[in-house]
């Protein structure tokens, strides 16, 4: 298995909000981001949902 770097831009305020909310829930924000990137790269259904996010009326996904 090869390792690759994935770089994406994130609004600083949104990143801090995400990290604080994850910490409040006892979750590791870094792990969550790595898992979401993994899903995006390997799960076609998840990738299509993310790419079509602007078409959704809300973020009320059910996982």
């Amino acid at each position: 298995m090869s390792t690759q770097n994935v770089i994406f831009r994130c609004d600083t305020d949104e990143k801090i909000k995400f990290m604080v909310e994850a910490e409040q829930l006892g979750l590791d924000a870094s792990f969550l981001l790595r898992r979401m990137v993994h899903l995006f790269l390997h799960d076609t259904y998840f990738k299509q949902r993310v790419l079509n996010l602007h078409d959704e009326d809300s973020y009320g996904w059910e996982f």
Side-chain angles (χ1 to χ4, degrees):
M1 177 191 332
S2 65
T3 303
Q4 297 180 10
N5 291 329
V6 176
I7 299 171
F8 58 94
R9 295 183 192 270
C10 181
D11 178 60
T12 302
D13 293 335
E14 286 294 320
K15 181 181 91 170
I16 291 170
K17 182 180 174 185
F18 174 77
M19 292 174 69
V20 167
E21 289 180 10
E23 185 177 321
Q24 289 173 345
L25 294 170
L27 302 171
D28 181 352
S30 180
F31 170 78
L32 292 173
L33 289 173
R34 286 192 313 270
R35 182 65 179 138
M36 286 189 285
V37 169
H38 176 81
L39 285 171
F40 183 82
L41 294 174
H42 299 328
D43 186 316
T44 306
Y45 178 73
F46 182 81
K47 184 174 187 174
Q48 288 304 312
R49 294 292 302 263
V50 170
L51 292 174
N52 295 320
L53 193 59
H54 63 280
D55 294 337
E56 299 289 330
D57 291 335
S58 68
Y59 294 100
W61 290 7
E62 294 182 24
F63 286 100

